[in-house]
Amino acid sequence: KNMKKNKKNLPPGPPRLPIIGNLHQLGSKPQRSMLKLSEKYGPLMSLKFGNVSTVVASAPETVKDVLKTFDAECCSRPYLTYPARVSYNQNDLAFSPYSKYWREVRKMTVLELYTAKRVLSFRHIREEEVASLVEFIKESASLGNIVNLSKRLMKLSGSVICRVGFGINLKGSKLEDTYEEVIRDTMEVLGSFAAVDYFPVVGRLIDRVTGLHSKCEKVFKALDAFFEQSIKHHVEDESLKDDIIALLLKMERGEAGLGEFQLTRNHTKGILLNVLIAGVDTSGHTVSWAMTHLITNPRVLKKAQAEVREVIKNKDNITEEDIEQLEYLKMVIKETLRINPLVPLLVPREASKDIKIAGYDIPKKTWIHVNIWGVHRNPNVWNDPEAFIPERFMDNEIDYKGLNFELLPFGSGRRMCPGMGMGMALAHLTLINLLYRFDWKLPDGMEVKDVDLEEAYGLVCPKKTPLQVIPVLTQWS
Ligand code: HEM
């Protein structure tokens, strides 16, 4: 009788193998495998990964339950071994469990970096760095050179974030030469389904054999050296007192407070980790995906360029105010974030108490994955979801700001991305410049059908192979 009373009504899920459960069904693109499985087992599905019970939400209604109705109960983070290492033992914002510390750090970083006023104050940095990208492209265009646009866009967002968050230039910093590789490997480490998290005893050994452990140590050392360098720069240069590092150092010295918390150097570095990796990877890859879809859809490219050139006319100086008038360009970005949401499974969550979603029991400690990639590609939600059609957003109120559960590239609720305004300001300004100033063609011998649309897998999913294109000078260059 007792057993019957305790039996939980868990969401349905595929049969499991002994020991590994459903891990073998994840494949190299977990978001795609999870979508396929959810077509059979439903929008709230149970999966078992080794010792860990998880559920996956993959339709707007169940995603809304997780991110809105039960947000308070579902917004903690599980302990993930490698993200914990890289974030100085969850002393950051993104991997920290839902706690008083997380609330204080979120409040402080929002005020320092992410309010509309702060984002506006960094505008000159964005404009200078975009101008320097334009100069580089102009030079390549006049020589007829192929440009690795993905690489250049990563460099652009890296340069902006280094100046905004760290008060130093990427050029000349400890990450100057290794930056792309370090960020890519960090994202792989942070998004990996690590054996140690599912098999506490043998998992450590498995991760050593697969190389995950050593990759994690390598990126940790590279990131740590960069944080040390920026902190040293602040300690030595007293004129740098207005940015987030200066504030964090004041908190370490007890001259400013963070609620009841006394910050240590590890807290400072953990907080800086999110500023660097969340800020760098995302804006650059969004523009890279947008350009990939534009180049493979010449009709859309032509229409977007016509709009930009009509609105900007012959103004020399493109400013962020111009974005407001570019309705079609905004649709292009929305469609890019729909078809390639950069964080396809959001950051994993953990239920902090027993809850009931859609009539199913979700026991405390269950891990929760939100498959927004699945929602964005669901044919019941979007017509022809694999096609890139910005016009689908015409006369349609759906936006990406966390209120429409069909489109959630930044998540929603307490854990929603605080850097949305900063990321989008840079993405829009860059795209306007690329479209206004240049025409674009593929390298000789390459056709639209040859452009690879495959995504890499990590916490963030960029294009797997970089976008290589030839810029062409125009009268607006
Ligand atoms: C196109 C640009 C961007 C996209 C698509 C994006 C997307 C996301 C997503 C999906 C999450 C996870 C939400 C969740 O777990 O529910 C997130 C979290 C976060 N993002 Fe972004 N992001 C972008 C730009 C930025 C920028 C520029 C910054 C900062 C400089 C930033 C800082 C963060 C931080 C700190 C978190 C963790 C929030 C928390 O757990 O409390 N993001 N972002």
Side-chain angles (χ1 to χ4, degrees):
K1 211 171 162 190
N2 261 349
M3 272 174 68
K4 224 176 181 177
K5 211 170 98 196
N6 289 335
K7 197 155 190 305
K8 305 258 184 228
N9 176 28
L10 301 176
R16 299 152 184 180
L17 291 180
I19 304 176
I20 62 169
N22 302 107
L23 270 174
H24 63 296
Q25 286 166 306
L26 282 180
S28 62
K29 308 261 171 17
Q31 71 275 22
R32 286 178 186 260
S33 321
M34 286 180 184
L35 173 62
K36 261 216 139 59
L37 288 170
S38 72
E39 280 161 8
K40 186 157 177 204
Y41 295 98
L44 196 69
M45 167 177 74
S46 292
L47 295 176
K48 186 105 179 165
F49 300 145
N51 287 346
V52 177
S53 300
T54 67
V55 296
V56 182
S58 43
E61 316 79 62
T62 50
V63 167
K64 185 172 175 185
D65 282 333
V66 172
L67 300 184
K68 186 171 179 196
T69 317
F70 295 100
D71 186 25
E73 294 81 7
C74 296
C75 75
S76 204
R77 305 287 194 209
Y79 181 88
L80 299 162
T81 306
Y82 295 112
R85 169 73 171 144
V86 178
S87 62
Y88 300 82
N89 204 19
Q90 297 182 303
N91 275 323
D92 68 330
L93 186 60
F95 293 99
S96 161
Y98 184 50
S99 59
K100 247 185 177 170
Y101 174 74
W102 173 83
R103 279 194 291 276
E104 291 293 349
V105 174
R106 176 120 185 164
K107 207 163 58 186
M108 181 269 290
T109 47
V110 165
L111 278 176
E112 275 307 301
L113 288 174
Y114 305 128
T115 57
K117 202 169 145 205
R118 287 305 272 167
V119 171
L120 196 64
S121 75
F122 303 131
R123 170 187 175 153
H124 67 285
I125 298 182
R126 287 189 291 277
E127 291 180 353
E128 280 165 30
E129 293 296 337
V130 171
S132 122
L133 171 71
V134 165
E135 276 315 305
F136 172 84
I137 297 177
K138 255 193 217 174
E139 211 177 297
S140 308
S142 54
L143 297 168
N145 285 349
I146 299 176
V147 171
N148 181 334
L149 200 57
S150 304
K151 192 183 171 91
R152 285 288 141 192
L153 291 167
M154 274 287 279
K155 237 189 176 131
L156 166 72
S157 41
S159 308
V160 171
I161 284 298
C162 280
R163 289 178 64 190
V164 166
F166 297 85
I168 61 176
N169 286 317
L170 178 60
K171 200 164 184 236
S173 81
K174 293 258 184 212
L175 282 182
E176 179 178 358
D177 298 326
T178 52
Y179 155 79
E180 225 185 322
E181 184 192 334
V182 170
I183 300 290
R184 188 198 56 224
D185 287 355
T186 307
M187 285 303 180
E188 272 178 34
V189 167
L190 295 180
S192 63
F193 283 73
V196 64
D197 294 327
Y198 305 113
F199 312 105
V201 183
V202 289
R204 216 164 276 279
L205 192 68
I206 298 176
D207 291 335
R208 280 178 193 265
V209 174
T210 60
L212 184 59
H213 178 85
S214 56
K215 193 183 262 185
C216 178
E217 287 307 305
K218 196 170 146 204
V219 296
F220 178 78
K221 281 199 186 96
L223 292 169
D224 192 69
F226 175 71
F227 299 146
E228 282 290 344
Q229 182 187 26
S230 345
I231 291 170
K232 187 162 172 264
H233 181 58
H234 277 73
V235 172
E236 285 168 0
D237 184 347
E238 292 201 345
S239 71
L240 294 169
K241 38 183 183 243
D242 256 351
D243 62 8
I244 187 159
I245 299 194
L247 177 64
L248 290 167
L249 293 179
K250 261 196 211 160
M251 288 175 170
E252 279 186 25
R253 294 193 297 267
E255 293 163 17
L258 183 74
E260 67 198 48
F261 299 96
Q262 171 58 50
L263 285 203
T264 64
R265 188 54 52 90
N266 277 356
H267 292 99
T268 296
K269 290 177 180 173
I271 294 166
L272 292 179
L273 170 81
N274 293 157
V275 178
L276 180 71
I277 58 156
V280 163
D281 229 18
T282 43
S283 325
H285 291 320
T286 300
V287 182
S288 203
W289 274 122
M291 285 301 288
T292 303
H293 289 297
L294 288 169
I295 279 166
T296 49
N297 290 278
R299 175 196 69 84
V300 181
L301 174 61
K302 223 167 146 191
K303 192 166 164 186
Q305 275 182 316
E307 184 198 52
V308 172
R309 288 174 183 169
E310 170 60 29
V311 169
I312 308 288
K313 296 252 166 53
N314 290 318
K315 240 172 37 146
D316 226 15
N317 202 6
I318 298 176
T319 65
E320 292 183 4
E321 280 78 44
D322 296 322
I323 297 167
E324 272 324 298
Q325 300 174 59
L326 295 164
E327 291 308 323
Y328 192 64
L329 186 106
K330 285 192 256 175
M331 290 183 228
V332 166
I333 292 266
K334 268 192 202 175
E335 180 67 342
T336 303
L337 292 169
R338 180 194 69 79
I339 204 160
N340 286 108
L342 284 177
V343 193
L345 295 173
L346 303 185
V347 183
R349 288 154 183 261
E350 184 179 83
S352 52
K353 44 171 94 138
D354 290 346
I355 47 172
K356 230 179 179 53
I357 295 185
Y360 295 111
D361 292 312
I362 313 291
K364 182 176 170 175
K365 291 268 169 206
T366 302
W367 292 15
I368 304 167
H369 292 289
V370 178
N371 189 1
I372 55 157
W373 194 92
V375 174
H376 293 188
R377 300 260 182 150
N378 186 335
N380 298 325
V381 180
W382 299 99
N383 262 339
D384 200 0
E386 300 294 325
F388 186 81
I389 313 173
E391 286 79 1
R392 67 172 86 239
F393 290 103
M394 219 146 82
D395 304 320
N396 170 334
E397 294 292 298
I398 293 183
D399 207 344
Y400 50 67
K401 296 188 179 152
L403 299 174
N404 302 108
F405 292 84
E406 302 89 342
L407 185 68
L408 291 172
F410 298 94
S412 177
R414 288 170 174 75
R415 287 283 185 168
M416 186 176 165
C417 174
M420 179 177 73
M422 195 192 289
M424 285 297 93
L426 181 61
H428 280 108
L429 185 68
T430 311
L431 195 57
I432 300 176
N433 272 277
L434 296 182
L435 297 181
Y436 176 69
R437 299 188 189 281
F438 305 100
D439 286 335
W440 298 90
K441 60 181 193 184
L442 290 167
D444 279 350
M446 205 172 161
E447 292 176 42
V448 161
K449 66 174 174 39
D450 303 322
V451 178
D452 186 13
L453 292 177
E454 196 181 345
E455 75 273 16
Y457 184 74
L459 182 63
V460 167
C461 288
K463 197 171 161 337
K464 194 167 177 182
T465 51
L467 176 65
Q468 311 254 16
V469 270
I470 301 180
V472 178
L473 292 172
T474 65
Q475 67 183 98
W476 302 279
S477 297

